[in-house]
């Protein structure tokens, strides 16, 4: 009896197939792909001026979006994604807030090997807080309203005065509940 499929069981792998199927070969291919992405990132990194212009636009959009109603973290992330594709209407931003933004906040752009980051420095965040990063020719904002110092005023008038509060604290008595009694230690009942 002859087997008709003799050659299928003993087929030899070529050197390229052996390289591709080995662990070292897969690591070298992964390193090559990451190297190509790194080179593309270096070549398409946004310039310093482009990064600064886009971040100012994104920060002004953040101020305009939070002018009347402040959102939560999810709203901030959705708004930041939308800021990539839109521009601010300067009429929407309060002029006093723009002056306060420029007076109390300082933006710095840091250059990294294949991307740039933008940080806001102010009295709240003296070490700076990252408000955006640029990669592959696009500036991605991560700014929130809490990152910015816009309203500055006195916390107290004199040294021993309490903090000035702009809201009214409701201190009225809510009444008493006869079923709730304070706990007092009366001693052990066995003695």
């Amino acid at each position: 009896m002859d087997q008709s499929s003799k050659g299928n069981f003993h087929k030899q792998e070529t050197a390229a197939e052996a390289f591709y199927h080995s662990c070292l070969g897969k690591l070298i291919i992964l390193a090559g792909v990451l190297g190509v992405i790194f080179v593309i990132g270096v070549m398409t990194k946004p310039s310093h001026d482009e990064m600064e212009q886009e971040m100012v636009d994104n920060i002004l959009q953040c101020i305009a979006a939070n002018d009347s109603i402040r959102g939560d973290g999810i709203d901030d992330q959705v708004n930041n994604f939308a800021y990539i594709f839109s521009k601010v209407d300067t009429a929407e931003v309060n002029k006093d807030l723009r002056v306060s933004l420029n007076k109390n906040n300082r933006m710095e752009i840091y250059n990294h090997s294949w991307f740039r980051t933008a940080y806001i420095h102010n009295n709240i965040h003296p070490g700076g807080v990252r408000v955006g990063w640029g990669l592959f020719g696009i500036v991605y904002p991560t700014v929130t309203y809490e990152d910015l110092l816009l309203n500055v005023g006195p916390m107290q008038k004199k040294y021993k005065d309490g903090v000035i509060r702009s809201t009214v604290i409701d201190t009225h008595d809510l009444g008493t509940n006869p079923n709730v009694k304070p706990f007092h230690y009366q001693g052990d009942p066995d003695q």
Side-chain angles (χ1 to χ4, degrees):
M1 286 190 158
D2 278 340
Q3 289 183 342
S4 62
S5 60
K6 261 192 222 179
N8 290 344
F9 294 110
H10 300 290
K11 184 177 178 184
Q12 291 288 346
E13 273 188 326
T14 63
E17 289 174 341
F19 177 75
Y20 178 73
H21 291 295
S22 70
C23 182
L24 178 64
K26 289 182 181 185
L27 288 176
I28 291 174
I29 291 170
L30 177 65
V33 169
L34 291 177
V36 169
I37 291 173
F38 178 77
V39 168
I40 291 171
V42 168
M43 291 174 24
T44 60
K45 177 172 52 171
S47 68
H48 186 276
D49 294 335
E50 180 183 352
M51 183 81 179
E52 188 172 356
Q53 289 172 355
E54 287 291 324
M55 282 311 305
V56 168
D57 180 66
N58 295 333
I59 290 169
L60 291 177
Q61 287 185 62
C62 177
I63 292 171
N66 289 289
D67 194 20
S68 60
I69 299 175
R70 296 218 173 80
D72 59 357
I74 294 173
D75 289 333
D76 290 335
Q77 297 306 318
V78 170
N79 286 339
N80 281 330
F81 182 73
Y83 298 159
I84 296 171
F85 306 106
S86 61
K87 297 286 182 199
V88 69
D89 181 13
T90 54
E92 291 179 8
V93 181
N94 186 346
K95 186 176 181 180
D96 295 334
L97 289 177
R98 277 186 90 161
V99 170
S100 180
L101 173 71
N102 294 332
K103 180 181 177 187
N104 301 317
N105 299 284
R106 178 176 47 94
M107 184 171 54
E108 289 188 13
I109 308 294
Y110 295 102
N111 187 22
H112 303 281
S113 58
W114 59 299
F115 63 97
R116 293 187 195 274
T117 55
Y119 282 78
I120 288 285
H121 298 273
N122 52 33
N123 287 346
I124 299 171
H125 305 288
V129 61
R130 188 182 67 211
V131 294
W133 46 279
L135 177 68
F136 299 124
I138 300 174
V139 176
Y140 304 94
T142 59
V143 64
T144 61
Y145 196 77
E146 289 78 26
D147 296 338
L148 307 171
L149 179 60
L150 297 174
N151 300 320
V152 178
M155 291 294 289
Q156 59 188 18
K157 291 187 179 182
K158 294 183 182 176
Y159 178 70
K160 293 192 177 192
D161 290 346
V163 175
I164 298 172
R165 297 191 189 276
S166 61
T167 60
V168 177
I169 298 174
D170 190 14
T171 59
H172 71 278
D173 186 20
L174 297 176
T176 59
N177 188 347
N179 296 327
V180 178
K181 296 181 181 172
F183 175 77
H184 295 287
Y185 181 70
Q186 301 294 331
D188 289 335
D190 297 334
Q191 293 180 349

